[in-house]
Amino acid sequence: MTPEELSAAVTRVLSEAVEAGELAIEIPETIIIERPKNREHGDWASTVALQLAKKAGMAPRRLAELLAARLRETDGVAAVDIAGPGFINITLDAAAAGELARTIVETGDGFGHNEALAGHVINMEFVSANPTGPLHLGHTRWAALGDALARLLRASGADVTSEYYINDAGNQMNVFASSVLARVHGEDVPEGGYPGEYTWELAEEALAARADLRDLPREDALPVVRELAYQAQLGQIKDTLAEFGVHFDVYYSEQSLHDEGRIAAAVDTLRAQGHIEDRDGAVWLRTTDFGDDKDRVLFKADGEPTYFAADAAYYLSKRERGFEEKIYLLGADHHGYVARLKAIAACAGDDPERNIEILIGQLMSVKGAKLSKRAGNIIELADLISWLGADALRYTLARYPADSPIDIDPELLRSKSNDNPVFYVQYAHARACAAARNAVEAGVGRDGFDASLLTHATEEELLAHLGRFPSVVARAAEMREPHRVARHLETVAAAYHSWYATCRMVPRAGEEITDTNRTRLWLNDATVQVLRNGLALLGVSAPERM
């Protein structure tokens, strides 16, 4: 029996009590079922009586007793006890607990998916590196966390569009183009340009596409080089992200906001909302009305739009495309953007507490990482992937909260030991796959399943952690915390290793194969499935052999 099934059972007994006139309350949509801290208190626990007692007009313990009496009649429930002021502790019978193994195997890749965020339409923007150079260490964390979070949100029922905002407008692109054009002519880049070796590579690609570049007047060659180098660099960014297992649904061009007149249209919209002010020849958005530290200029006195104008137009484009919720994932150096982005949302008529969410990630460092020879004074993501592996990087970045700094130890990530968390979890998956192969080769089939046979303490422990997986996924999505899934997988792996060392799937020589062996194969398969599903949510592979 899963936590979701128990939640449904508690909802049912609440409904029965209301229909019988024993309660007069509005039943919540979801009843939280959790694992008790002390397993001696039962398999599952609920604080529903404490949460609803005031609304029900009775003491929490009295409400708990009323619900417990009805829950005890539920199939699969062996005992229901009341603890403290009104905690409900539920113990399942062995068959109900063990039936979870079959449920997991039959549900397959969908186990862990839930509908906690059904109906949420979310645009999530992350990475969004300037297309003027390769992805580097500073982009790595959000690439891993952002993609994992998108997967978690989708697994919890949300409609998510992952988006990369391409900063392809403004003077930086002219500087970039001038740098590559200088390389086309075999020259040093201009002062303040992009000096990395990669600009030579981009120049070669541009020449391959347009052999006449050197013959064109500089003013004619510049826009050509700008477009060719931009497309080549963006292609490299996409290739590096793909190597990292990250794929975006939308690449949204900042330049398109200018070309399509969206910035002027955004000003018109904000003016209609009553938050635009013209002063000193410039156009201002009164963001101080909504908590920003100063008003922001949208158009300067010379008529040129500011970067902030593009930010406002970009936000409004998300509204126009039907995204009720907008999530921005920003680096540690973007704290100042929080107030102004929320102010844009408020000026646009949105609720800044509901329609926009801004997550700030702290810095990460890698011991012994070398600066890129191609790109100069940065550490390239492509080099990190080659050195440490995409799996090790992604898992390590996913297992820490975004707001905690990380100092990665490459020696640990490259080690094949239980001290390396990604190896520990992947090895548990590979070990379980190997155990299943060995069992089948020994003649243990999957034709006999008796849930009541899974009674060993290590089996109960393993089943308990497998059963928590859907609620961990839902909570991780709700809290925007992929590390909850990573840490839970490590708990599952530890429980599996303990069970594997204690309970045999394959009988000893001369012993007969029994339904206990066959049922344990189902439990083994259930563990494989949960580990595989969890790793997939983090964008990490689940090898069957190691």
Side-chain angles (χ1 to χ4, degrees):
M1 183 176 288
T2 67
E4 290 70 27
E5 290 169 334
L6 276 176
S7 177
V10 174
T11 299
R12 175 181 53 78
V13 300
L14 280 168
S15 298
E16 291 173 354
V18 169
E19 291 173 5
E22 297 171 334
L23 290 176
I25 57 168
E26 182 177 340
I27 301 172
E29 291 185 8
T30 304
I31 305 296
I32 302 300
I33 302 293
E34 298 178 310
R35 184 68 62 185
K37 293 181 180 179
N38 187 340
R39 286 299 310 281
E40 294 180 359
H41 294 164
D43 295 308
W44 299 101
S46 176
T47 58
V48 63
L50 299 172
Q51 297 166 359
L52 299 180
K54 186 174 181 180
K55 294 179 180 179
M58 64 175 65
R61 191 173 180 90
R62 171 72 187 97
L63 177 56
E65 290 170 349
L66 186 154
L67 298 177
R70 291 180 176 275
L71 277 172
R72 291 186 183 104
E73 300 173 5
T74 301
D75 289 342
V77 173
V80 181
D81 300 303
I82 311 301
F87 296 101
I88 300 175
N89 294 326
I90 304 168
T91 301
L92 304 178
D93 62 36
E99 191 63 35
L100 175 66
R102 177 154 54 188
T103 298
I104 293 172
V105 173
E106 292 179 348
T107 306
D109 293 343
F111 186 75
H113 289 219
N114 61 88
E115 295 299 314
L117 297 179
H120 290 254
V121 180
I122 301 171
N123 177 285
M124 193 171 75
E125 183 217 328
F126 58 103
V127 181
S128 298
N130 293 341
T132 55
L135 295 176
H136 56 71
L137 180 65
H139 307 124
T140 304
R141 189 168 194 180
W142 271 137
L145 279 176
D147 186 66
L149 181 53
R151 293 168 186 247
L152 282 167
L153 292 171
R154 292 185 183 113
S156 294
D159 180 356
V160 181
T161 295
S162 61
E163 188 156 304
Y164 185 118
Y165 182 50
I166 312 170
N167 299 113
D168 55 354
N171 188 57
Q172 64 177 0
M173 294 302 296
N174 294 328
V175 173
F176 172 61
S178 297
S179 301
V180 177
L181 182 57
R183 300 305 199 192
V184 167
H185 289 279
E187 302 167 356
D188 291 337
V189 301
E191 185 176 352
Y194 294 90
E197 292 294 315
Y198 71 95
T199 54
W200 288 106
E201 298 170 12
L202 293 173
E204 290 177 6
E205 292 191 44
L207 281 167
R210 284 289 300 268
D212 62 339
L213 272 179
R214 290 195 181 101
D215 301 326
L216 296 176
R218 295 266 180 143
E219 61 272 18
D220 294 337
L222 189 64
V224 176
V225 168
R226 172 173 164 153
E227 181 62 20
L228 290 172
Y230 159 62
Q231 292 296 342
Q233 186 57 64
L234 183 61
Q236 290 179 22
I237 287 172
K238 291 180 178 180
D239 289 345
T240 300
L241 288 169
E243 190 178 359
F244 204 41
V246 178
H247 303 274
F248 284 90
D249 299 313
V250 173
Y251 282 85
Y252 196 99
S253 163
E254 179 187 355
Q255 186 62 45
S256 72
L257 296 170
H258 296 265
D259 297 341
E260 298 170 8
R262 288 185 174 273
I263 292 179
V267 171
D268 291 341
T269 298
L270 294 169
R271 191 182 293 277
Q273 291 285 106
H275 302 295
I276 293 288
E277 183 175 315
D278 299 310
R279 63 176 186 263
D280 303 325
V283 179
W284 297 73
L285 185 64
R286 291 198 309 275
T287 55
T288 52
D289 293 348
F290 299 100
D292 199 3
D293 59 343
K294 62 181 180 180
D295 291 336
R296 303 288 171 176
V297 177
L298 294 171
F299 277 86
K300 295 180 286 187
D302 61 4
E304 283 296 310
T306 63
Y307 284 116
F308 184 74
D311 289 340
Y314 181 46
Y315 181 86
L316 288 174
S317 83
K318 295 182 180 185
R319 277 181 100 231
E320 293 164 3
R321 286 182 281 150
F323 296 111
E324 183 74 9
E325 300 171 52
K326 280 77 72 177
I327 300 177
Y328 289 75
L329 279 59
L330 304 177
D333 57 341
H334 284 70
H335 277 284
Y337 281 70
V338 175
R340 69 188 73 169
L341 284 173
K342 284 187 172 289
I344 289 174
C347 289
D350 279 350
D351 180 352
E353 299 305 315
R354 186 176 68 87
N355 298 116
I356 183 170
E357 184 177 355
I358 302 159
L359 305 177
I360 300 292
Q362 290 302 314
L363 299 174
M364 62 171 285
S365 59
V366 182
K367 296 177 182 177
K370 297 179 180 179
L371 297 179
S372 168
K373 293 180 179 179
R374 292 179 63 251
N377 61 344
I378 66 171
I379 299 169
E380 282 196 63
L381 173 55
D383 290 341
L384 287 175
I385 294 171
S386 177
W387 181 28
L388 302 176
D391 280 349
L393 265 177
R394 289 200 59 156
Y395 187 91
T396 301
L397 293 171
R399 75 186 296 268
Y400 293 97
D403 58 0
S404 65
I406 302 178
D407 185 15
I408 292 177
D409 181 355
E411 294 305 314
L412 177 63
L413 263 61
R414 291 163 60 87
S415 70
K416 296 182 178 181
S417 72
N418 289 341
D419 292 329
N420 179 358
V422 66
F423 176 83
Y424 187 68
V425 174
Q426 288 183 319
Y427 176 66
H429 179 270
R431 186 181 204 182
C433 289
R437 291 193 298 269
N438 293 337
V440 171
E441 289 174 6
V444 179
R446 297 180 173 89
D447 52 338
F449 178 83
D450 184 351
S452 67
L453 297 175
L454 298 175
T455 57
H456 192 276
T458 59
E459 291 170 332
E460 293 176 354
E461 186 72 15
L462 179 55
L463 282 165
H465 295 308
L466 296 177
R468 282 190 59 223
F469 182 64
S471 61
V472 168
V473 171
R475 188 64 171 164
E478 177 191 2
M479 299 300 293
R480 318 304 195 228
E481 294 179 340
H483 71 271
R484 291 174 179 267
V485 173
R487 298 305 176 101
H488 185 66
L489 293 181
E490 291 163 33
T491 301
V492 171
Y496 175 78
H497 290 312
S498 295
W499 173 72
Y500 180 88
T502 307
C503 297
R504 298 185 63 86
M505 269 189 296
V506 179
R508 291 183 174 85
E511 292 182 345
E512 183 180 342
I513 295 173
T514 68
D515 280 348
T516 296
N517 303 116
R518 300 183 185 97
T519 303
R520 284 175 174 168
L521 178 55
W522 280 80
L523 179 56
N524 185 85
D525 291 346
T527 305
V528 169
Q529 192 67 63
V530 168
L531 290 172
R532 180 182 300 152
N533 292 0
L535 288 168
L537 290 173
L538 301 178
V540 178
S541 71
E544 295 187 6
R545 289 178 169 82
M546 289 181 71

